[in-house]
Amino acid sequence: MLVAGRIVQHREFGKLVFMVLRDHTGDLQVSISKSELDAAQFRLARKLDYGDIIVVGGRMGMTKKGEICVWADRVEVHCKSLAPPPEKYHGLTDAEARYRRRYVDMYANPETMATLQARSRLVAQMRRFMDARGYLEVETPMMQPLAGGAAARPFVTHHNALDMPLFLRIAPELYLKRLLVGGMPRVYEINRNFRNEGIDRQHNPEFTMMEVYEAFGDCESMLELTESLMRDLATSLDASGRRTFGELEIDYAAPFDRVAYGALVERSTGSPMTDFGAMRAKARQIGVENVDAMDDWLVVNEVFEHFGEAAIDPARPTFVTDFPSAISPLTRPHRDDPTLSHRWELFVAGMELGNAYTELNDPDVQLSKFTEQLRGADDEARAFRALDVDFIQALRVGMPPAGGLGIGVDRVIMLMTGQTSIRDVILFPLMRPE
RNA sequence: GCCCUGUUAGCUCAGUUGGCAGAGCAGCUGACUCUUAAUCAGCGGGUCGUAGGUUCGAGUCCUACACAGGGCACCA
């Protein structure tokens, strides 16, 4: 048989050489005996170094100690490694070196390879899941004349031939909804978003998002879809549906929790969220600046993010439902209480994992919400935020009632693979140049 | 942007009160036909992150900067 791999161990015994070859599937020992090869081949075998990529022909057998081993009758060097390898026992552990030289990390640390390969398989599984439910995968613009669909700060670039500014997208939302207008009933997109913001264990400036839109769906159908998807991914890795994440043991097979936004605020602060006086007091208490100048509901949201999110059991996947309309500009308000909206966010392990709503499809309400939002924008935000007139026009053509969903794919991969840093599930996380 | 910690050989790390720059692995030379981080003998290998300062003398103390990790802020 023929085996190929990179040399990760090399032990010489004069007339006998043991080596361990590694590829993406694992390690295999090979042995080269002087009595089995001609003199030139054996001299070559003794000169091999850690990191070289070789092909060995021989018969599969066992050593006296019971180790599976290929006894070579042929050795070919297919690539010489000229760079010194990392230490063979401790490997490459320096976080900076691991991210900067991922190609070394990948072969030196099998766990890295396992995680990155698991990511690819999980994303493929997500696509299978969505395809099986009849959603069509699409690709909408990643360079947009207007950066809409979210409130993040965008990256700006410039198109020379058209002499116009372009924004790397912060969300695909407004384009996907145009597809609903055009008549695609179920679409999803898995691709990168770009947000010009800080970097930490849960944020990379470019990150992968899955957005889903379903005509005649609503936030309830998106909730069912999300819970089923998470359960499907978890059980594809372990039949129990349980995954460990840091200190947490998270069960995705059990039904996820549900709690209303307002109930969570009240439970965690002792005051109803509509008691804006109490909310402002709480906000001041946690050091929010300019509380007096802020809109009531933005104050409430500060309080929610500080107290409410902290009150969620991180070990239990939890849908927080009925977000305030005032902070949900693309969401259809409740019929009976328009201060609330048909929107939820999913929290797991303290991370915001997904966001879904029953889409607002009334062009007049949408227009007034956009203009209201622009009025609240500061100078910096106004520089890149603008009214997407064409999107309003699309809604005038008519968008069917719909459910929409966004899920942070990188964070899903973190939870599924047990990696607590987003950098460990991204092939090449952004680093400053050395 | 702020705070804390780190940065010493290719890799993993020591370095005492401020007094000649160290180890293991990797590399090179040699021995060895069943090893498992093989073993044994020998030999090379340094801009101690960068720039200043204090000092007779700085890897060690001080300042600034760079990069990284963690935390905070930002991220509807």
Side-chain angles (χ1 to χ4, degrees):
Chain A
M1 68 180 303
L2 278 178
V3 293
R6 194 184 285 275
I7 298 171
V8 293
Q9 294 194 52
H10 185 265
R11 295 183 279 272
E12 269 186 49
F13 290 83
K15 300 189 182 70
L16 183 68
V17 179
F18 288 101
M19 290 184 293
V20 174
L21 299 189
R22 177 172 294 169
D23 72 5
H24 63 290
T25 64
D27 293 356
L28 176 67
Q29 181 170 278
V30 300
S31 182
I32 297 161
S33 167
K34 188 174 187 181
S35 58
E36 301 289 323
L37 278 79
D38 64 54
Q41 284 249 298
F42 190 72
R43 264 201 308 280
L44 173 72
R46 290 191 53 161
K47 284 197 146 134
L48 293 170
D49 290 319
Y50 286 77
D52 293 349
I53 297 171
I54 65 171
V55 172
V56 171
R59 69 183 167 76
M60 185 78 89
M62 265 202 193
T63 66
K64 289 175 184 171
K65 297 275 174 65
E67 177 90 15
I68 291 170
C69 184
V70 174
W71 301 98
D73 54 38
R74 184 150 64 93
V75 178
E76 293 165 2
V77 183
H78 282 244
C79 180
K80 189 77 190 163
S81 178
L82 301 177
E87 211 262 357
K88 68 180 168 186
Y89 184 59
H90 299 93
L92 188 70
T93 60
D94 180 68
E96 181 175 357
R98 287 184 48 231
Y99 301 137
R100 286 195 194 278
R101 301 198 297 147
R102 185 65 105 181
Y103 41 87
V104 176
D105 182 32
M106 286 169 69
Y107 94 76
N109 296 316
E111 191 193 309
T112 297
M113 180 65 98
T115 298
L116 296 176
Q117 291 189 134
R119 176 187 176 120
S120 293
R121 292 197 197 95
L122 284 163
V123 172
Q125 178 66 20
M126 289 176 76
R127 289 195 160 97
R128 276 195 295 277
F129 180 92
M130 296 304 295
D131 294 344
R133 287 190 170 217
Y135 294 87
L136 190 67
E137 184 173 9
V138 296
E139 296 173 89
T140 62
M142 309 199 37
M143 304 171 78
Q144 305 178 346
L146 296 171
R153 189 180 303 128
F155 289 93
V156 191
T157 185
H158 183 263
H159 188 274
N160 286 346
L162 296 180
D163 188 24
M164 64 183 278
L166 282 173
F167 300 96
L168 300 191
R169 76 177 186 196
I170 55 177
E173 174 154 354
L174 301 186
Y175 285 94
L176 291 168
K177 285 182 179 173
R178 285 170 168 97
L179 299 179
L180 294 190
V181 172
M184 286 185 176
R186 293 182 162 210
V187 294
Y188 75 101
E189 177 163 11
I190 296 176
N191 222 322
R192 233 68 64 78
N193 288 346
F194 307 85
R195 297 188 180 177
N196 205 340
E197 284 153 6
I199 297 175
D200 61 32
R201 280 191 316 177
Q202 295 170 16
H203 296 83
N204 194 62
E206 57 174 311
F207 63 100
T208 301
M209 182 93 149
M210 178 170 83
E211 285 206 10
V212 181
Y213 291 86
E214 178 184 337
F216 303 105
D218 56 24
C219 71
E220 280 300 319
S221 61
M222 292 296 103
L223 187 145
E224 187 281 328
L225 179 78
T226 303
E227 188 166 340
S228 297
L229 172 64
M230 294 297 288
R231 190 164 295 136
D232 179 75
L233 294 177
T235 53
S236 78
L237 296 169
D238 185 311
S240 73
R242 277 196 261 278
R243 309 296 304 157
T244 54
F245 184 75
E247 304 292 302
L248 304 172
E249 172 96 5
I250 302 173
D251 183 358
Y252 298 94
F256 293 7
D257 280 356
R258 289 183 69 151
V259 58
Y261 183 102
L264 199 53
V265 170
E266 184 158 354
R267 194 212 296 164
S268 60
T269 64
S271 306
M273 67 173 168
T274 46
D275 182 346
F276 297 131
M279 293 297 109
R280 283 179 194 283
K282 283 285 177 189
R284 278 188 208 96
Q285 181 189 322
I286 56 176
V288 177
E289 290 170 16
N290 290 324
V291 171
D292 295 325
M294 283 173 73
D295 179 85
D296 289 338
W297 287 105
L298 292 181
V299 173
V300 172
N301 201 45
E302 294 282 348
V303 172
F304 166 77
E305 287 179 356
H306 189 269
F307 294 101
E309 289 188 16
I312 301 167
D313 182 347
R316 300 183 60 88
T318 302
F319 291 107
V320 178
T321 62
D322 302 303
F323 270 61
S325 277
I327 58 167
S328 310
L330 296 156
T331 308
R332 172 180 289 190
H334 274 265
R335 209 179 298 272
D336 46 348
D337 181 356
T339 62
L340 300 181
S341 68
H342 292 286
R343 173 185 175 191
W344 54 256
E345 287 192 358
L346 174 60
F347 290 86
V348 186
M351 290 193 290
E352 183 193 328
L353 206 66
N355 179 19
Y357 31 90
T358 303
E359 301 298 337
L360 176 58
N361 66 341
D362 181 319
D364 296 330
V365 176
Q366 184 68 82
L367 179 59
S368 66
K369 276 179 170 276
F370 275 166
T371 43
E372 187 182 338
Q373 192 185 17
L374 283 172
R375 249 200 317 277
D378 56 24
D379 288 345
E380 195 216 347
R382 247 189 296 274
F384 53 78
R385 226 165 270 170
L387 181 66
D388 191 335
V389 176
D390 181 73
F391 177 67
I392 298 293
Q393 178 58 30
L395 292 187
R396 281 195 201 291
V397 170
M399 183 178 87
L405 164 69
I407 291 184
V409 172
D410 309 279
R411 291 179 182 176
V412 169
I413 305 300
M414 288 169 67
L415 290 168
M416 292 299 152
T417 59
Q419 299 297 326
T420 54
S421 171
I422 198 168
R423 292 184 185 95
D424 289 319
V425 300
I426 290 175
L427 295 171
F428 301 102
L430 184 68
M431 304 282 280
R432 244 185 241 273
E434 276 182 285

